[in-house]
Amino acid sequence: MNNKFSKRIREFKPSGTHQLLQMSERPEVISFAGGFPAPELFPVEELKAVCEAVLNEQGPASLQYSTTEGYIPLRQAICGRMKDIGIESNYENVMITSGSQQAIDLTGKLFIDEGDVIICESPTYLAAINAFKVYNPRFVEVDMDEDGMIMEELEKKLQAHPDVKFIYTIPDFQNPTGRTMKLERRQRMVQLANQYDVVILEDNPYGAIRFAGEPLPPLKHFDTEGRVIYLSTFSKIFSPGLRLGWICADEAFMARYVSLKESADLHTDSFAQRVAAKYIEMYDLESHIEKIRAIYKERYSAMASCIKEYLPPSVSYSTPQGGLFIWLELPESIDSAELLQDCLRNHVAFVSGASFFPNGGGHNTLRLNFSNMSNENIAEGIRRLADVLRSKL
Amino acid sequence: MNNKFSKRIREFKPSGTHQLLQMSERPEVISFAGGFPAPELFPVEELKAVCEAVLNEQGPASLQYSTTEGYIPLRQAICGRMKDIGIESNYENVMITSGSQQAIDLTGKLFIDEGDVIICESPTYLAAINAFKVYNPRFVEVDMDEDGMIMEELEKKLQAHPDVKFIYTIPDFQNPTGRTMKLERRQRMVQLANQYDVVILEDNPYGAIRFAGEPLPPLKHFDTEGRVIYLSTFSKIFSPGLRLGWICADEAFMARYVSLKESADLHTDSFAQRVAAKYIEMYDLESHIEKIRAIYKERYSAMASCIKEYLPPSVSYSTPQGGLFIWLELPESIDSAELLQDCLRNHVAFVSGASFFPNGGGHNTLRLNFSNMSNENIAEGIRRLADVLRSKL
């Protein structure tokens, strides 16, 4: 039956991450592999009251088909939150998606023809690479340092590829590196996008989870020509299971996004949208996020000090001010995919870094997640990782 | 910015249905245009208890990321329901989708390269046409009669197009015609698919809503070579707002569907999946569906007798044994898109038939929905339609 499949899926190789994630989910394994929020912080009790209120007040409407764009009070609440970080918008610039993963997929569908060039950070978010790959682009990677994508490198790539469709960037606490793009680079990136006539896809799932330093305005804040498309999500600040993300973009884009979303799944879960809106109405989302920040700060500190204490000094690591991830660079002689096999036997897991480089490379890198685990398990897991690593050096 | 868009969206013309549906939603309009289930039948009270039970028993897990394939108890419940209609399956053959619309979109992504031939009934489901169009296929339509797709015509098309990717069919109470494929044609279609080595995409959202006649086994029941992909949904038997559909297919397909679903939106709402599974555990879904059948039967009868009484005898109409729709064929001289403009002024709406023909045609046809309205409104709406129609004859 293989001859029946479309070219995009005949050429598609599963990343293997799926299988590794399953192995890392065994109870005896301490897993730094996922990107799961801390489940003990989910507002379970509050949601009992919220679900009851939604069913009492809006029962049939919350279970019926609804518009592709999404539930207006939720879109208005999103506009309010975006205003607080410097994005002026109207609810008509916002479409609710089934997680921001869907926003990434729809963006690939909207822009990419086979062979088109898209620019991204090197490394970048694994599931965005996989979503874009379905549309067969060429990935052009731009080097980063601790302050995010390097603008001189970006300009060279824009000059070399005059037909770039968009720049995909995660400016805050990037996945996988945890790095944050500094202020002047944000302004410079928008300038470059204007100058070279490209779109910026700003993916910002972690921005609200800042536990150190000062907040920086999103790229969208500096957008004067409507060429920044901003994506975010309730996954890290409320619940990932409900699959609620959004796209904020200029009207030139919105009508097309709505058409693509309509043909993809008609609309996002009506009930989940009304539950999120009602939660925001009944409770204080900001103070809920404050709790998440406090816990993640503690877990980050625990992991950072264990890394310092247990890992050999030849390992370098990022020092994020928020988000969910730390990025390690091991000595050149270590292949982190092989290391992972040994680690799994020692009951500790991570994601090896190569999967985050769309064109290959990064064999000696890896990503650690700290959001989903007790301080004790963090310490024990880093000790196990250190043991395996020392045996390879 | 238009030069940045992908070819698929540059060529994409919105159907206009979106706008018409918005007009038809004005409160003064009696709308036969949608395909909405009767909201007064949604189990709102039961869902209060269900949501509370899910949050009490599975709180954090119901709000966390989950597997792309879906929640196993829900997939097992689906296998049980499919067994009752003659489909043997294991939960590993079932993936939960964000409504069956997503299953249709993922199928387009899985099979269609630009220019590929897909076969469908003439007319066929509007939103499937739009989902497939994103992947730029050529549609080959096969004529129907009151017993569904005509097999002699299908075989001619299969002979003429040896490179067909799949046959898309809605065998039970088809959208838009309400027609049902008779038994021997079901067997024959599977034989033809085997003979000509094509895949069948069996879309069955309405099968459970049979209010007259005897149930017929799905095409999947006759599938001996794993080439029938079966799609269904909870939208018509439980709640469309929760966006819960599924794909049942052979393992040769499942791994690829899972990869595509993962890159499209990671997974379907965890909470909605657990709510549906818990509802099935706590209540009797079958007796709930029995209530839906009884009401739809009554509404269908009301609409059918009003059509007979008020519409001119030159109008012919389908006589469905289930589902949500009646299909009208008007005299050749009437263009139903023009008729609709006049009807909207007279505060009655429908979907004009041309949108259901992917290659054009059907100007004198239209679709009426009877599930979402009181018998009084059905009578008044058909009277309004009849008035406008008589003025055009």
Side-chain angles (χ1 to χ4, degrees), chain A residues 4 6-8 37 48 56 63-65 101 105 109-110 113 197 236 239 241 263 269-270, chain B residues 4 6-8 37 48 56 63-65 101 109-110 113 165 197 236 239 241 263 269-270:
Chain A
K4 295 288 173 198
S6 62
K7 188 159 168 280
R8 69 181 73 81
K48 283 187 210 168
N56 275 333
L63 302 170
Q64 186 59 287
Y65 285 118
Q101 183 68 28
D105 177 55
K109 231 179 199 176
L110 178 56
D113 287 317
D197 186 26
K236 306 304 183 287
S239 152
S263 73
D269 183 346
S270 313
Chain B
K4 296 288 173 197
S6 62
K7 189 158 168 279
R8 70 181 72 81
K48 283 187 210 168
N56 276 333
L63 302 170
Q64 186 58 286
Y65 284 118
Q101 183 68 27
K109 232 180 199 174
L110 178 56
D113 288 317
K165 285 296 182 81
D197 185 27
K236 306 304 182 288
S239 152
S263 73
D269 184 346
S270 313

mmCIF file of all heavy atoms in Angstrom, chain A residues 4 6-8 37 48 56 63-65 101 105 109-110 113 197 236 239 241 263 269-270, chain B residues 4 6-8 37 48 56 63-65 101 109-110 113 165 197 236 239 241 263 269-270:
data_model
loop_
_atom_site.group_PDB
_atom_site.id
_atom_site.type_symbol
_atom_site.label_atom_id
_atom_site.label_comp_id
_atom_site.label_asym_id
_atom_site.label_seq_id
_atom_site.Cartn_x
_atom_site.Cartn_y
_atom_site.Cartn_z
ATOM 1 N N LYS A 4 0.675 4.217 -2.360
ATOM 2 C CA LYS A 4 -0.496 5.105 -2.296
ATOM 3 C C LYS A 4 -0.209 6.368 -1.489
ATOM 4 O O LYS A 4 -0.900 7.370 -1.635
ATOM 5 C CB LYS A 4 -1.671 4.385 -1.624
ATOM 6 C CG LYS A 4 -2.210 3.193 -2.388
ATOM 7 C CD LYS A 4 -2.977 3.631 -3.612
ATOM 8 C CE LYS A 4 -3.367 2.430 -4.452
ATOM 9 N NZ LYS A 4 -3.729 2.831 -5.814
ATOM 10 N N SER A 6 1.226 9.834 0.084
ATOM 11 C CA SER A 6 1.731 11.064 -0.518
ATOM 12 C C SER A 6 3.246 11.117 -0.329
ATOM 13 O O SER A 6 3.801 10.499 0.580
ATOM 14 C CB SER A 6 1.073 12.274 0.135
ATOM 15 O OG SER A 6 1.387 12.313 1.511
ATOM 16 N N LYS A 7 3.877 11.879 -1.211
ATOM 17 C CA LYS A 7 5.332 12.040 -1.154
ATOM 18 C C LYS A 7 5.770 12.502 0.238
ATOM 19 O O LYS A 7 6.758 12.031 0.786
ATOM 20 C CB LYS A 7 5.731 13.069 -2.227
ATOM 21 C CG LYS A 7 7.202 13.234 -2.464
ATOM 22 C CD LYS A 7 7.451 13.837 -3.843
ATOM 23 C CE LYS A 7 8.898 14.297 -3.995
ATOM 24 N NZ LYS A 7 9.144 15.606 -3.368
ATOM 25 N N ARG A 8 4.978 13.452 0.807
ATOM 26 C CA ARG A 8 5.383 14.018 2.096
ATOM 27 C C ARG A 8 5.485 12.954 3.182
ATOM 28 O O ARG A 8 6.310 13.063 4.070
ATOM 29 C CB ARG A 8 4.435 15.159 2.513
ATOM 30 C CG ARG A 8 3.035 14.754 2.892
ATOM 31 C CD ARG A 8 2.173 15.968 3.264
ATOM 32 N NE ARG A 8 1.800 16.762 2.114
ATOM 33 C CZ ARG A 8 0.783 16.467 1.294
ATOM 34 N NH1 ARG A 8 0.039 15.389 1.511
ATOM 35 N NH2 ARG A 8 0.503 17.227 0.266
ATOM 36 N N PRO A 37 4.349 20.345 32.112
ATOM 37 C CA PRO A 37 4.191 21.188 33.300
ATOM 38 C C PRO A 37 4.000 20.319 34.551
ATOM 39 O O PRO A 37 3.624 19.145 34.449
ATOM 40 C CB PRO A 37 2.911 21.972 33.012
ATOM 41 C CG PRO A 37 2.661 21.844 31.561
ATOM 42 C CD PRO A 37 3.261 20.538 31.157
ATOM 43 N N LYS A 48 -13.466 22.181 39.071
ATOM 44 C CA LYS A 48 -14.771 21.575 39.386
ATOM 45 C C LYS A 48 -15.843 22.657 39.395
ATOM 46 O O LYS A 48 -16.920 22.494 38.807
ATOM 47 C CB LYS A 48 -14.717 20.887 40.750
ATOM 48 C CG LYS A 48 -14.013 19.552 40.719
ATOM 49 C CD LYS A 48 -14.170 18.887 42.087
ATOM 50 C CE LYS A 48 -12.966 18.016 42.356
ATOM 51 N NZ LYS A 48 -12.925 17.568 43.768
ATOM 52 N N ASN A 56 -23.959 25.021 33.933
ATOM 53 C CA ASN A 56 -25.170 25.681 34.421
ATOM 54 C C ASN A 56 -25.567 26.861 33.551
ATOM 55 O O ASN A 56 -26.734 27.044 33.231
ATOM 56 C CB ASN A 56 -24.958 26.198 35.854
ATOM 57 C CG ASN A 56 -25.220 25.112 36.880
ATOM 58 O OD1 ASN A 56 -25.991 24.183 36.632
ATOM 59 N ND2 ASN A 56 -24.563 25.221 38.027
ATOM 60 N N LEU A 63 -21.510 22.742 24.383
ATOM 61 C CA LEU A 63 -21.369 21.397 23.807
ATOM 62 C C LEU A 63 -21.682 21.375 22.314
ATOM 63 O O LEU A 63 -21.572 20.340 21.657
ATOM 64 C CB LEU A 63 -22.300 20.418 24.550
ATOM 65 C CG LEU A 63 -22.047 20.329 26.057
ATOM 66 C CD1 LEU A 63 -23.164 19.545 26.745
ATOM 67 C CD2 LEU A 63 -20.694 19.675 26.357
ATOM 68 N N GLN A 64 -22.079 22.524 21.767
ATOM 69 C CA GLN A 64 -22.490 22.622 20.359
ATOM 70 C C GLN A 64 -21.304 23.035 19.486
ATOM 71 O O GLN A 64 -20.282 23.506 19.999
ATOM 72 C CB GLN A 64 -23.617 23.660 20.252
ATOM 73 C CG GLN A 64 -24.292 23.823 18.906
ATOM 74 C CD GLN A 64 -24.940 22.563 18.351
ATOM 75 O OE1 GLN A 64 -24.241 21.644 17.906
ATOM 76 N NE2 GLN A 64 -26.273 22.516 18.376
ATOM 77 N N TYR A 65 -21.437 22.839 18.171
ATOM 78 C CA TYR A 65 -20.490 23.423 17.225
ATOM 79 C C TYR A 65 -20.364 24.916 17.513
ATOM 80 O O TYR A 65 -21.322 25.568 17.943
ATOM 81 C CB TYR A 65 -21.005 23.268 15.784
ATOM 82 C CG TYR A 65 -20.883 21.881 15.206
ATOM 83 C CD1 TYR A 65 -22.018 21.169 14.818
ATOM 84 C CD2 TYR A 65 -19.637 21.292 14.998
ATOM 85 C CE1 TYR A 65 -21.910 19.895 14.256
ATOM 86 C CE2 TYR A 65 -19.528 20.025 14.439
ATOM 87 C CZ TYR A 65 -20.662 19.332 14.072
ATOM 88 O OH TYR A 65 -20.552 18.086 13.521
ATOM 89 N N GLN A 101 0.827 23.983 18.919
ATOM 90 C CA GLN A 101 1.312 23.062 17.884
ATOM 91 C C GLN A 101 0.474 23.214 16.613
ATOM 92 O O GLN A 101 1.016 23.231 15.507
ATOM 93 C CB GLN A 101 1.247 21.609 18.390
ATOM 94 C CG GLN A 101 1.795 20.585 17.407
ATOM 95 C CD GLN A 101 3.303 20.691 17.185
ATOM 96 O OE1 GLN A 101 4.029 21.132 18.076
ATOM 97 N NE2 GLN A 101 3.770 20.317 16.008
ATOM 98 N N ASP A 105 1.601 24.160 12.760
ATOM 99 C CA ASP A 105 1.243 23.370 11.572
ATOM 100 C C ASP A 105 0.502 24.219 10.539
ATOM 101 O O ASP A 105 0.804 24.179 9.348
ATOM 102 C CB ASP A 105 0.382 22.174 11.996
ATOM 103 C CG ASP A 105 -0.080 21.352 10.789
ATOM 104 O OD1 ASP A 105 0.788 20.925 10.006
ATOM 105 O OD2 ASP A 105 -1.292 21.175 10.619
ATOM 106 N N LYS A 109 1.402 25.161 6.613
ATOM 107 C CA LYS A 109 0.440 24.987 5.517
ATOM 108 C C LYS A 109 0.217 26.290 4.752
ATOM 109 O O LYS A 109 0.054 26.297 3.542
ATOM 110 C CB LYS A 109 -0.895 24.545 6.126
ATOM 111 C CG LYS A 109 -1.526 23.319 5.510
ATOM 112 C CD LYS A 109 -2.840 22.993 6.232
ATOM 113 C CE LYS A 109 -3.269 21.564 6.001
ATOM 114 N NZ LYS A 109 -4.473 21.203 6.761
ATOM 115 N N LEU A 110 0.215 27.387 5.494
ATOM 116 C CA LEU A 110 -0.086 28.688 4.897
ATOM 117 C C LEU A 110 1.057 29.206 4.020
ATOM 118 O O LEU A 110 0.815 29.850 3.007
ATOM 119 C CB LEU A 110 -0.391 29.699 6.019
ATOM 120 C CG LEU A 110 -0.696 31.147 5.642
ATOM 121 C CD1 LEU A 110 -1.857 31.230 4.656
ATOM 122 C CD2 LEU A 110 -1.044 31.954 6.900
ATOM 123 N N ASP A 113 5.727 26.005 0.313
ATOM 124 C CA ASP A 113 5.692 25.097 -0.819
ATOM 125 C C ASP A 113 6.980 24.279 -0.784
ATOM 126 O O ASP A 113 7.993 24.723 -0.221
ATOM 127 C CB ASP A 113 5.641 25.884 -2.136
ATOM 128 C CG ASP A 113 4.298 26.532 -2.373
ATOM 129 O OD1 ASP A 113 3.263 25.866 -2.126
ATOM 130 O OD2 ASP A 113 4.260 27.699 -2.809
ATOM 131 N N ASP A 197 11.797 41.914 3.574
ATOM 132 C CA ASP A 197 10.415 41.511 3.259
ATOM 133 C C ASP A 197 10.131 40.051 3.605
ATOM 134 O O ASP A 197 9.734 39.261 2.749
ATOM 135 C CB ASP A 197 10.118 41.779 1.766
ATOM 136 C CG ASP A 197 8.645 41.510 1.427
ATOM 137 O OD1 ASP A 197 7.799 41.609 2.330
ATOM 138 O OD2 ASP A 197 8.362 41.185 0.254
ATOM 139 N N LYS A 236 1.341 26.055 29.268
ATOM 140 C CA LYS A 236 2.328 26.153 30.344
ATOM 141 C C LYS A 236 1.815 26.966 31.528
ATOM 142 O O LYS A 236 2.410 26.937 32.600
ATOM 143 C CB LYS A 236 3.626 26.770 29.802
ATOM 144 C CG LYS A 236 4.199 26.051 28.577
ATOM 145 C CD LYS A 236 4.455 24.573 28.823
ATOM 146 C CE LYS A 236 5.099 23.868 27.625
ATOM 147 N NZ LYS A 236 4.168 23.663 26.485
ATOM 148 N N SER A 239 -3.278 24.581 31.493
ATOM 149 C CA SER A 239 -3.372 23.136 31.296
ATOM 150 C C SER A 239 -3.050 22.802 29.849
ATOM 151 O O SER A 239 -3.685 23.331 28.941
ATOM 152 C CB SER A 239 -4.798 22.660 31.606
ATOM 153 O OG SER A 239 -5.122 21.492 30.854
ATOM 154 N N GLY A 241 -3.458 19.739 28.624
ATOM 155 C CA GLY A 241 -4.409 18.709 28.191
ATOM 156 C C GLY A 241 -5.598 19.285 27.461
ATOM 157 O O GLY A 241 -6.168 18.642 26.592
ATOM 158 N N SER A 263 -10.866 23.781 7.596
ATOM 159 C CA SER A 263 -10.736 22.503 6.897
ATOM 160 C C SER A 263 -9.936 21.494 7.715
ATOM 161 O O SER A 263 -10.052 20.293 7.511
ATOM 162 C CB SER A 263 -10.134 22.692 5.500
ATOM 163 O OG SER A 263 -8.775 22.995 5.578
ATOM 164 N N ASP A 269 -12.277 22.723 20.637
ATOM 165 C CA ASP A 269 -13.239 22.306 21.665
ATOM 166 C C ASP A 269 -13.963 23.497 22.307
ATOM 167 O O ASP A 269 -13.360 24.305 23.005
ATOM 168 C CB ASP A 269 -12.465 21.500 22.719
ATOM 169 C CG ASP A 269 -13.349 20.931 23.819
ATOM 170 O OD1 ASP A 269 -14.507 21.348 23.948
ATOM 171 O OD2 ASP A 269 -12.851 20.057 24.552
ATOM 172 N N SER A 270 -15.281 23.586 22.076
ATOM 173 C CA SER A 270 -16.088 24.692 22.622
ATOM 174 C C SER A 270 -16.067 24.699 24.148
ATOM 175 O O SER A 270 -16.003 25.764 24.775
ATOM 176 C CB SER A 270 -17.563 24.552 22.197
ATOM 177 O OG SER A 270 -17.712 24.273 20.842
ATOM 178 N N LYS B 4 4.055 35.572 -0.462
ATOM 179 C CA LYS B 4 4.654 34.676 0.534
ATOM 180 C C LYS B 4 3.832 33.406 0.732
ATOM 181 O O LYS B 4 4.340 32.411 1.223
ATOM 182 C CB LYS B 4 4.760 35.390 1.892
ATOM 183 C CG LYS B 4 5.692 36.586 1.912
ATOM 184 C CD LYS B 4 7.141 36.153 1.845
ATOM 185 C CE LYS B 4 8.050 37.354 1.702
ATOM 186 N NZ LYS B 4 9.388 36.964 1.227
ATOM 187 N N SER B 6 1.718 29.948 0.395
ATOM 188 C CA SER B 6 1.936 28.720 -0.367
ATOM 189 C C SER B 6 0.934 28.666 -1.516
ATOM 190 O O SER B 6 -0.128 29.290 -1.470
ATOM 191 C CB SER B 6 1.770 27.506 0.541
ATOM 192 O OG SER B 6 0.443 27.462 1.049
ATOM 193 N N LYS B 7 1.314 27.916 -2.527
ATOM 194 C CA LYS B 7 0.459 27.753 -3.699
ATOM 195 C C LYS B 7 -0.934 27.285 -3.284
ATOM 196 O O LYS B 7 -1.942 27.770 -3.790
ATOM 197 C CB LYS B 7 1.121 26.731 -4.631
ATOM 198 C CG LYS B 7 0.502 26.580 -5.990
ATOM 199 C CD LYS B 7 1.511 25.979 -6.969
ATOM 200 C CE LYS B 7 0.836 25.541 -8.260
ATOM 201 N NZ LYS B 7 0.175 24.223 -8.148
ATOM 202 N N ARG B 8 -0.965 26.347 -2.326
ATOM 203 C CA ARG B 8 -2.258 25.775 -1.931
ATOM 204 C C ARG B 8 -3.217 26.836 -1.417
ATOM 205 O O ARG B 8 -4.415 26.726 -1.612
ATOM 206 C CB ARG B 8 -2.072 24.641 -0.914
ATOM 207 C CG ARG B 8 -1.621 25.027 0.460
ATOM 208 C CD ARG B 8 -1.443 23.803 1.374
ATOM 209 N NE ARG B 8 -0.280 23.007 1.029
ATOM 210 C CZ ARG B 8 0.975 23.311 1.406
ATOM 211 N NH1 ARG B 8 1.225 24.368 2.145
ATOM 212 N NH2 ARG B 8 1.982 22.546 1.045
ATOM 213 N N PRO B 37 -26.594 19.261 15.645
ATOM 214 C CA PRO B 37 -27.480 18.412 16.435
ATOM 215 C C PRO B 37 -28.418 19.261 17.292
ATOM 216 O O PRO B 37 -28.135 20.431 17.561
ATOM 217 C CB PRO B 37 -26.526 17.626 17.335
ATOM 218 C CG PRO B 37 -25.180 17.765 16.739
ATOM 219 C CD PRO B 37 -25.175 19.078 16.010
ATOM 220 N N LYS B 48 -22.404 17.343 34.295
ATOM 221 C CA LYS B 48 -21.941 17.936 35.556
ATOM 222 C C LYS B 48 -21.346 16.851 36.448
ATOM 223 O O LYS B 48 -20.260 17.009 37.006
ATOM 224 C CB LYS B 48 -23.107 18.619 36.281
ATOM 225 C CG LYS B 48 -23.479 19.953 35.679
ATOM 226 C CD LYS B 48 -24.516 20.619 36.589
ATOM 227 C CE LYS B 48 -25.421 21.496 35.747
ATOM 228 N NZ LYS B 48 -26.598 21.930 36.506
ATOM 229 N N ASN B 56 -12.283 14.494 40.108
ATOM 230 C CA ASN B 56 -12.007 13.824 41.379
ATOM 231 C C ASN B 56 -11.055 12.651 41.218
ATOM 232 O O ASN B 56 -10.138 12.467 42.003
ATOM 233 C CB ASN B 56 -13.303 13.300 42.008
ATOM 234 C CG ASN B 56 -14.020 14.381 42.795
ATOM 235 O OD1 ASN B 56 -13.386 15.310 43.296
ATOM 236 N ND2 ASN B 56 -15.340 14.269 42.885
ATOM 237 N N LEU B 63 -5.728 16.838 32.751
ATOM 238 C CA LEU B 63 -5.331 18.186 32.324
ATOM 239 C C LEU B 63 -3.915 18.219 31.757
ATOM 240 O O LEU B 63 -3.453 19.263 31.305
ATOM 241 C CB LEU B 63 -5.428 19.148 33.523
ATOM 242 C CG LEU B 63 -6.821 19.233 34.159
ATOM 243 C CD1 LEU B 63 -6.770 19.999 35.474
ATOM 244 C CD2 LEU B 63 -7.818 19.889 33.199
ATOM 245 N N GLN B 64 -3.244 17.066 31.772
ATOM 246 C CA GLN B 64 -1.843 16.981 31.330
ATOM 247 C C GLN B 64 -1.778 16.583 29.847
ATOM 248 O O GLN B 64 -2.769 16.111 29.284
ATOM 249 C CB GLN B 64 -1.130 15.926 32.193
ATOM 250 C CG GLN B 64 0.368 15.761 32.002
ATOM 251 C CD GLN B 64 1.190 17.025 32.238
ATOM 252 O OE1 GLN B 64 1.178 17.941 31.402
ATOM 253 N NE2 GLN B 64 1.899 17.079 33.367
ATOM 254 N N TYR B 65 -0.605 16.786 29.233
ATOM 255 C CA TYR B 65 -0.357 16.207 27.914
ATOM 256 C C TYR B 65 -0.668 14.717 27.962
ATOM 257 O O TYR B 65 -0.500 14.064 28.998
ATOM 258 C CB TYR B 65 1.125 16.362 27.540
ATOM 259 C CG TYR B 65 1.537 17.749 27.117
ATOM 260 C CD1 TYR B 65 2.484 18.464 27.839
ATOM 261 C CD2 TYR B 65 1.009 18.334 25.971
ATOM 262 C CE1 TYR B 65 2.895 19.736 27.443
ATOM 263 C CE2 TYR B 65 1.416 19.610 25.569
ATOM 264 C CZ TYR B 65 2.355 20.300 26.304
ATOM 265 O OH TYR B 65 2.750 21.546 25.910
ATOM 266 N N GLN B 101 -13.648 15.706 11.199
ATOM 267 C CA GLN B 101 -13.065 16.629 10.221
ATOM 268 C C GLN B 101 -11.538 16.484 10.207
ATOM 269 O O GLN B 101 -10.920 16.471 9.142
ATOM 270 C CB GLN B 101 -13.450 18.074 10.563
ATOM 271 C CG GLN B 101 -12.936 19.106 9.548
ATOM 272 C CD GLN B 101 -13.601 19.005 8.183
ATOM 273 O OE1 GLN B 101 -14.735 18.567 8.066
ATOM 274 N NE2 GLN B 101 -12.883 19.393 7.134
ATOM 275 N N LYS B 109 -3.754 14.602 3.838
ATOM 276 C CA LYS B 109 -2.303 14.774 4.022
ATOM 277 C C LYS B 109 -1.556 13.463 3.774
ATOM 278 O O LYS B 109 -0.448 13.468 3.244
ATOM 279 C CB LYS B 109 -2.069 15.200 5.475
ATOM 280 C CG LYS B 109 -1.221 16.443 5.652
ATOM 281 C CD LYS B 109 -1.070 16.747 7.156
ATOM 282 C CE LYS B 109 -0.645 18.179 7.390
ATOM 283 N NZ LYS B 109 -0.619 18.538 8.817
ATOM 284 N N LEU B 110 -2.164 12.367 4.185
ATOM 285 C CA LEU B 110 -1.495 11.063 4.095
ATOM 286 C C LEU B 110 -1.405 10.556 2.661
ATOM 287 O O LEU B 110 -0.431 9.909 2.293
ATOM 288 C CB LEU B 110 -2.259 10.051 4.972
ATOM 289 C CG LEU B 110 -1.769 8.598 5.001
ATOM 290 C CD1 LEU B 110 -0.297 8.523 5.407
ATOM 291 C CD2 LEU B 110 -2.614 7.786 5.987
ATOM 292 N N ASP B 113 -0.948 13.789 -3.261
ATOM 293 C CA ASP B 113 0.015 14.705 -3.866
ATOM 294 C C ASP B 113 -0.741 15.521 -4.909
ATOM 295 O O ASP B 113 -1.776 15.079 -5.436
ATOM 296 C CB ASP B 113 1.134 13.926 -4.567
ATOM 297 C CG ASP B 113 2.085 13.268 -3.588
ATOM 298 O OD1 ASP B 113 2.460 13.929 -2.603
ATOM 299 O OD2 ASP B 113 2.449 12.100 -3.810
ATOM 300 N N LYS B 165 -6.095 7.399 -5.748
ATOM 301 C CA LYS B 165 -5.563 7.215 -4.408
ATOM 302 C C LYS B 165 -6.599 6.589 -3.472
ATOM 303 O O LYS B 165 -6.308 5.652 -2.764
ATOM 304 C CB LYS B 165 -5.052 8.541 -3.832
ATOM 305 C CG LYS B 165 -3.703 9.004 -4.417
ATOM 306 C CD LYS B 165 -2.567 8.046 -4.091
ATOM 307 C CE LYS B 165 -1.223 8.493 -4.608
ATOM 308 N NZ LYS B 165 -0.566 9.489 -3.763
ATOM 309 N N ASP B 197 -6.966 -2.132 -6.558
ATOM 310 C CA ASP B 197 -5.934 -1.732 -5.574
ATOM 311 C C ASP B 197 -6.069 -0.269 -5.146
ATOM 312 O O ASP B 197 -5.137 0.528 -5.290
ATOM 313 C CB ASP B 197 -4.525 -2.006 -6.152
ATOM 314 C CG ASP B 197 -3.429 -1.724 -5.126
ATOM 315 O OD1 ASP B 197 -3.703 -1.823 -3.914
ATOM 316 O OD2 ASP B 197 -2.302 -1.384 -5.547
ATOM 317 N N LYS B 236 -22.529 13.571 16.529
ATOM 318 C CA LYS B 236 -23.971 13.463 16.323
ATOM 319 C C LYS B 236 -24.666 12.631 17.396
ATOM 320 O O LYS B 236 -25.882 12.661 17.506
ATOM 321 C CB LYS B 236 -24.255 12.848 14.934
ATOM 322 C CG LYS B 236 -23.565 13.577 13.773
ATOM 323 C CD LYS B 236 -23.901 15.059 13.712
ATOM 324 C CE LYS B 236 -23.259 15.770 12.531
ATOM 325 N NZ LYS B 236 -21.807 15.950 12.644
ATOM 326 N N SER B 239 -21.799 14.994 21.608
ATOM 327 C CA SER B 239 -21.573 16.450 21.581
ATOM 328 C C SER B 239 -20.557 16.799 20.507
ATOM 329 O O SER B 239 -19.438 16.271 20.528
ATOM 330 C CB SER B 239 -21.043 16.920 22.942
ATOM 331 O OG SER B 239 -20.242 18.086 22.793
ATOM 332 N N GLY B 241 -19.322 19.864 20.173
ATOM 333 C CA GLY B 241 -18.452 20.887 20.730
ATOM 334 C C GLY B 241 -17.171 20.316 21.304
ATOM 335 O O GLY B 241 -16.129 20.972 21.294
ATOM 336 N N SER B 263 2.266 15.927 14.560
ATOM 337 C CA SER B 263 2.770 17.212 14.068
ATOM 338 C C SER B 263 1.637 18.220 13.874
ATOM 339 O O SER B 263 1.876 19.422 13.865
ATOM 340 C CB SER B 263 3.594 17.028 12.790
ATOM 341 O OG SER B 263 2.764 16.729 11.702
ATOM 342 N N ASP B 269 -7.771 16.914 23.016
ATOM 343 C CA ASP B 269 -8.082 17.314 24.393
ATOM 344 C C ASP B 269 -8.210 16.114 25.344
ATOM 345 O O ASP B 269 -9.130 15.307 25.217
ATOM 346 C CB ASP B 269 -9.398 18.120 24.342
ATOM 347 C CG ASP B 269 -9.813 18.685 25.690
ATOM 348 O OD1 ASP B 269 -9.272 18.264 26.722
ATOM 349 O OD2 ASP B 269 -10.701 19.561 25.686
ATOM 350 N N SER B 270 -7.292 16.030 26.309
ATOM 351 C CA SER B 270 -7.284 14.911 27.274
ATOM 352 C C SER B 270 -8.560 14.902 28.110
ATOM 353 O O SER B 270 -9.119 13.831 28.395
ATOM 354 C CB SER B 270 -6.112 15.055 28.261
ATOM 355 O OG SER B 270 -4.912 15.350 27.630
#
